[in-house]
Amino acid sequence: MKTWSKILVFVFAILALCACVYGKSVPQLRTIYMGDSIFDVGTNKYVKNSVSRCDFVPYGKTRYNKPSGRCSDGFIIPDLINKVIGLPFSKPFLALKAGSQLPLSINFASDGSGLLDSTHSDWGVVSFNEQLKQLGQLVNKIPMMNLNDFVVVISSGGNDIAANLQNLANVDLEAMLVLLEKGLEQLYKYGFRKIVYSSLGPLGCVPIVTSDGNCVREINDLVEQFNWQAREIVLGVARKFPGMRGAFVDGYSLIKSYVENPIKFGFQNGGGCCPNCLSHKNTLSGLCRNPSDYVFWDLIHPTEHTYTLVTKEFMKQIKKIL
């Protein structure tokens, strides 16, 4: 008995030591968001003369007393990811004050921006390339040993196609993909090792282009072509660089399935709740009573209900690279 008692004491001591050591070595997970309106939590409010904004009524009606700059009725994907992780909501980089303590979650995403600098350049948006430069400024303030605490989550490229829906021949997929790869490589050079990239959504299924609820195949074919190559780039960069971990979220297939079979996924309508929101005029005209019944909030952006479902896939992919 004495021998067993000594063994148990020894085992518990080792376990306690391991718990202490590993407890100290496990970092606090932090998040960085980059891209477009899918992730934007109000960046463009801080961009002078920006015309690409969602800070007017009725945006935010489900969750906020006033519009917060999010292009939806309530929470968007960064909010929902952070809630699961246990982080406060991300703060726009442009809202950070000099000398202030860095938040646990920082957001660079800008409504209307794209991978290409030329996309909506006259709208007053922050392109993906410019966001990378802003992040570079921030890296100098983060101790190098802590960069691995961050998961960088990206949603960019949709506006490069959306800006050319009237003439898809003008879409330069090759240039988009080149800039995406260069951007991921730049993140590695900065010192980040965990990257999650979101596919483009089914742009051929958004209410602004659909007819009688039917998706436009020509647009979706182009999106699928980009997504397939983007996935190869994300996973390829992760294989290429030591220590790099990359994940690809297929939100395209999920949202497309919601539009095609809304009842199955808890929706009543595959269209948009606020048909006049994007016009900035008469925005309450035609506004639905219950946004959660709809896949889309306005004619382009999903509802919180849709984002909640898609966030489950984001979390699945994030867990893979931790």
Side-chain angles (χ1 to χ4, degrees):
M1 289 294 293
K2 289 183 178 180
T3 301
W4 278 108
S5 296
K6 289 180 180 179
I7 291 174
L8 287 173
V9 169
F10 177 75
V11 169
F12 283 125
I14 293 297
L15 289 173
L17 177 61
C18 288
C20 177
V21 171
Y22 283 107
K24 289 182 179 179
S25 65
V26 175
Q28 165 68 60
L29 185 64
R30 304 172 74 169
T31 51
I32 285 176
Y33 297 98
M34 306 180 71
D36 49 34
S37 58
I38 303 301
F39 285 176
D40 185 2
V41 294
T43 290
N44 286 8
K45 293 191 296 183
Y46 304 93
V47 179
K48 186 178 181 181
N49 299 324
S50 175
V51 297
S52 186
R53 298 164 64 155
C54 292
D55 57 348
F56 55 90
V57 174
Y59 284 93
K61 72 180 295 289
T62 299
R63 292 291 179 181
Y64 305 95
N65 293 325
K66 60 181 182 180
S68 65
R70 291 163 172 79
C71 294
S72 187
D73 63 298
F75 294 149
I76 60 175
I77 289 173
D79 303 324
L80 297 165
I81 289 176
N82 282 17
K83 280 169 67 76
V84 174
I85 294 175
L87 295 176
F89 290 157
S90 59
K91 294 185 178 180
F93 169 75
L94 294 181
L96 301 181
K97 296 180 180 180
S100 63
Q101 183 177 0
L102 292 177
L104 294 175
S105 182
I106 308 167
N107 199 307
F108 296 82
S110 173
D111 175 26
S113 70
L115 290 166
L116 303 175
D117 288 340
S118 58
T119 297
H120 296 154
S121 59
D122 58 339
W123 284 17
V125 302
V126 186
S127 69
F128 181 63
N129 186 50
E130 187 60 33
Q131 292 174 38
L132 283 170
K133 293 178 181 178
Q134 292 175 342
L135 181 55
Q137 299 172 21
L138 192 65
V139 165
N140 295 327
K141 301 179 182 180
I142 304 174
M144 202 61 174
M145 60 181 293
N146 293 335
L147 288 182
N148 199 43
D149 297 354
F150 287 88
V151 175
V152 182
V153 193
I154 305 166
S155 170
S156 186
N159 285 312
D160 298 303
I161 294 179
N164 295 286
L165 291 180
Q166 300 301 317
N167 190 351
L168 294 177
N170 289 336
V171 176
D172 192 342
L173 288 188
E174 183 177 353
M176 292 167 60
L177 292 163
V178 167
L179 289 172
L180 173 60
E181 185 169 14
K182 287 183 177 179
L184 298 180
E185 292 179 353
Q186 183 61 58
L187 288 171
Y188 183 84
K189 292 176 182 178
Y190 283 155
F192 296 102
R193 295 295 181 265
K194 302 182 184 77
I195 311 294
V196 177
Y197 182 77
S198 172
S199 73
L200 306 190
L203 296 176
C205 297
V206 298
I208 200 170
V209 301
T210 55
S211 175
D212 299 323
N214 296 316
C215 301
V216 180
R217 184 170 182 175
E218 184 182 10
I219 298 174
N220 278 347
D221 285 348
L222 189 62
V223 172
E224 289 179 12
Q225 184 180 347
F226 174 86
N227 284 340
W228 182 83
Q229 295 181 76
R231 181 181 183 277
E232 293 303 305
I233 287 174
V234 172
L235 300 182
V237 168
R239 290 191 297 266
K240 179 179 178 181
F241 295 103
M244 184 74 152
R245 308 199 71 180
F248 182 86
V249 176
D250 181 15
Y252 172 91
S253 298
L254 293 175
I255 297 177
K256 187 170 183 287
S257 65
Y258 305 158
V259 173
E260 294 175 338
N261 196 348
I263 303 298
K264 177 181 178 180
F265 297 97
F267 300 96
Q268 298 300 316
N269 193 306
C273 168
C274 187
N276 292 308
C277 275
L278 291 180
S279 68
H280 293 223
K281 298 178 180 179
N282 302 317
T283 54
L284 299 180
S285 176
L287 181 67
C288 76
R289 290 186 177 183
N290 188 6
S292 66
D293 286 342
Y294 289 73
V295 175
F296 293 96
W297 163 242
D298 53 25
L299 297 183
I300 295 178
H301 305 100
T303 57
E304 179 185 309
H305 183 186
T306 299
Y307 283 140
T308 300
L309 296 179
V310 175
T311 296
K312 294 178 182 179
E313 182 62 21
F314 272 89
M315 292 310 307
K316 179 180 177 181
Q317 297 302 324
I318 288 173
K319 289 177 181 177
K320 288 182 179 180
I321 62 174
L322 296 182

